[in-house]
Amino acid sequence: MLIFYAKYAFIFWFFVGSNQGEMLLMDKISHDKTLLNVTACTQNCLEKGQMDFRSCLKDCRHNETFPGALRKVQENYQMNMICRTESEIVFQIDWVQHSRESEPAPNATYIIRVDAVKDNNKETTLYLSDDNFLILPGLESNSSHNITALAMHGDGSYSLIAKDQTFATLIRCYQPSKMGAVNLLRFVPQPDDLITLLPR
Ligand SMILES: *[C@@H]1O[C@H](CO)[C@@H](O)[C@H](O)[C@H]1NC(C)=O
Ligand SMILES: *[C@@H]1O[C@H](CO)[C@@H](O)[C@H](O)[C@H]1NC(C)=O
Ligand SMILES: *[C@@H]1O[C@H](CO)[C@@H](O)[C@H](O)[C@H]1NC(C)=O
Ligand SMILES: *[C@@H]1O[C@H](CO)[C@@H](O)[C@H](O)[C@H]1NC(C)=O
Ligand SMILES: *[C@@H]1O[C@H](CO)[C@@H](O)[C@H](O)[C@H]1NC(C)=O
């Protein structure tokens, strides 16, 4: 399940050239330690298996009790785009095995940040997901979106999966180009197929 977490809009216009727009943004997001704490708490709560994702998140935002110190670790995750439309981008986050033994993917809650420029403003949207299959909804058509993803575990350790990977949505009413007539250039009969393919 993908849960909308927050949206920030920054008026780029005023800050162009001063670099301040960017700084403001970085402040709000990377230094949002509360987001990381709340996500770790949510994953911890999910592992106890007594509440669903939404209730865990609600409790964690409210209680402000956190499982442990945050620390960055290095794990092998891959983010792959599955498909896109004019308003959605679909991703899957895959866990890549280190060794040959098959270890299961660690439990994680994913933090997804989407950066886009809309009407000269930079807009950042944050989502949390307990699923590694993600459908980002409601995107502008024909525009670039930078995706940053992070996997958070219940003990406060987290891995960066992707940083500012750029993906574009399709133009509105996109249609694949028409397919013309197809000519068969050559046909190599296989001895075994002769019976079924050739008229007797
Ligand atoms: C992952 O979470 C499930 C419950 O959702 C739990 O049973 C399992 O032990 C957890 N695995 C790890 C490695 O923490
Ligand atoms: C939040 O606090 C309530 C009441 O103290 C408790 O029942 C609940 O388990 C807490 N939730 C988490 C995720 O710690
Ligand atoms: C996040 O949790 C840690 C460990 O529980 C705590 O020390 C820290 O103050 C918390 N940070 C924020 C911004 O709440
Ligand atoms: C997206 O990322 C590229 C670099 O990877 C950067 O140049 C661009 O400004 C970013 N766009 C937004 C909207 O954050
Ligand atoms: C899509 O975006 C490109 C680059 O921003 C622009 O040149 C083009 O006109 C747009 N196409 C449509 C159909 O909006």
Side-chain angles (χ1 to χ4, degrees), residues 33-34 37 66 68-69:
K33 288 260 167 54
T34 322
N37 272 351
F66 306 118

PDB file of all heavy atoms in Angstrom, residues 33-34 37 66 68-69, ligand 3:
ATOM      1  N   LYS A  33      14.496  14.434   9.990  1.00  0.00           N
ATOM      2  CA  LYS A  33      14.795  13.230  10.773  1.00  0.00           C
ATOM      3  C   LYS A  33      13.516  12.607  11.300  1.00  0.00           C
ATOM      4  O   LYS A  33      13.464  11.410  11.555  1.00  0.00           O
ATOM      5  CB  LYS A  33      15.731  13.569  11.933  1.00  0.00           C
ATOM      6  CG  LYS A  33      17.145  13.866  11.492  1.00  0.00           C
ATOM      7  CD  LYS A  33      18.036  12.645  11.707  1.00  0.00           C
ATOM      8  CE  LYS A  33      19.377  12.787  10.993  1.00  0.00           C
ATOM      9  NZ  LYS A  33      20.088  14.011  11.325  1.00  0.00           N
ATOM     10  N   THR A  34      12.507  13.422  11.462  1.00  0.00           N
ATOM     11  CA  THR A  34      11.239  12.886  11.954  1.00  0.00           C
ATOM     12  C   THR A  34      10.685  11.864  10.984  1.00  0.00           C
ATOM     13  O   THR A  34      10.188  10.828  11.407  1.00  0.00           O
ATOM     14  CB  THR A  34      10.205  14.013  12.145  1.00  0.00           C
ATOM     15  OG1 THR A  34      10.901  15.135  12.640  1.00  0.00           O
ATOM     16  CG2 THR A  34       9.116  13.614  13.088  1.00  0.00           C
ATOM     17  N   ASN A  37      12.609   8.642  11.504  1.00  0.00           N
ATOM     18  CA  ASN A  37      12.192   8.035  12.778  1.00  0.00           C
ATOM     19  C   ASN A  37      10.791   7.437  12.681  1.00  0.00           C
ATOM     20  O   ASN A  37      10.571   6.315  13.125  1.00  0.00           O
ATOM     21  CB  ASN A  37      12.193   9.095  13.889  1.00  0.00           C
ATOM     22  CG  ASN A  37      13.547   9.206  14.569  1.00  0.00           C
ATOM     23  OD1 ASN A  37      14.438   8.389  14.334  1.00  0.00           O
ATOM     24  ND2 ASN A  37      13.697  10.202  15.414  1.00  0.00           N
ATOM     25  N   PHE A  66      10.580   6.017  19.283  1.00  0.00           N
ATOM     26  CA  PHE A  66      11.308   5.475  18.151  1.00  0.00           C
ATOM     27  C   PHE A  66      12.168   4.290  18.565  1.00  0.00           C
ATOM     28  O   PHE A  66      12.720   4.271  19.663  1.00  0.00           O
ATOM     29  CB  PHE A  66      12.139   6.579  17.502  1.00  0.00           C
ATOM     30  CG  PHE A  66      11.291   7.764  17.135  1.00  0.00           C
ATOM     31  CD1 PHE A  66      11.520   9.008  17.697  1.00  0.00           C
ATOM     32  CD2 PHE A  66      10.227   7.611  16.262  1.00  0.00           C
ATOM     33  CE1 PHE A  66      10.715  10.090  17.369  1.00  0.00           C
ATOM     34  CE2 PHE A  66       9.412   8.685  15.937  1.00  0.00           C
ATOM     35  CZ  PHE A  66       9.652   9.928  16.483  1.00  0.00           C
ATOM     36  N   GLY A  68      15.118   2.993  17.670  1.00  0.00           N
ATOM     37  CA  GLY A  68      16.559   3.027  17.919  1.00  0.00           C
ATOM     38  C   GLY A  68      17.226   4.095  17.103  1.00  0.00           C
ATOM     39  O   GLY A  68      16.568   4.782  16.327  1.00  0.00           O
ATOM     40  N   ALA A  69      18.537   4.216  17.263  1.00  0.00           N
ATOM     41  CA  ALA A  69      19.273   5.258  16.553  1.00  0.00           C
ATOM     42  C   ALA A  69      19.276   4.963  15.059  1.00  0.00           C
ATOM     43  O   ALA A  69      19.402   3.818  14.638  1.00  0.00           O
ATOM     44  CB  ALA A  69      20.692   5.331  17.084  1.00  0.00           C
TER      45      ALA A  69
HETATM   46  C1  LIG B   3      14.851  10.045  16.328  1.00  0.00           C
HETATM   47  O1  LIG B   3      14.970   8.942  17.213  1.00  0.00           O
HETATM   48  C2  LIG B   3      16.181   8.941  17.965  1.00  0.00           C
HETATM   49  C3  LIG B   3      16.289   7.609  18.714  1.00  0.00           C
HETATM   50  O2  LIG B   3      15.116   7.252  19.358  1.00  0.00           O
HETATM   51  C4  LIG B   3      16.186  10.159  18.898  1.00  0.00           C
HETATM   52  O3  LIG B   3      17.377  10.187  19.634  1.00  0.00           O
HETATM   53  C5  LIG B   3      16.091  11.413  18.036  1.00  0.00           C
HETATM   54  O4  LIG B   3      15.997  12.555  18.854  1.00  0.00           O
HETATM   55  C6  LIG B   3      14.866  11.356  17.129  1.00  0.00           C
HETATM   56  N1  LIG B   3      14.894  12.477  16.219  1.00  0.00           N
HETATM   57  C7  LIG B   3      13.836  13.261  16.008  1.00  0.00           C
HETATM   58  C8  LIG B   3      14.012  14.384  15.052  1.00  0.00           C
HETATM   59  O5  LIG B   3      12.755  13.084  16.569  1.00  0.00           O
END
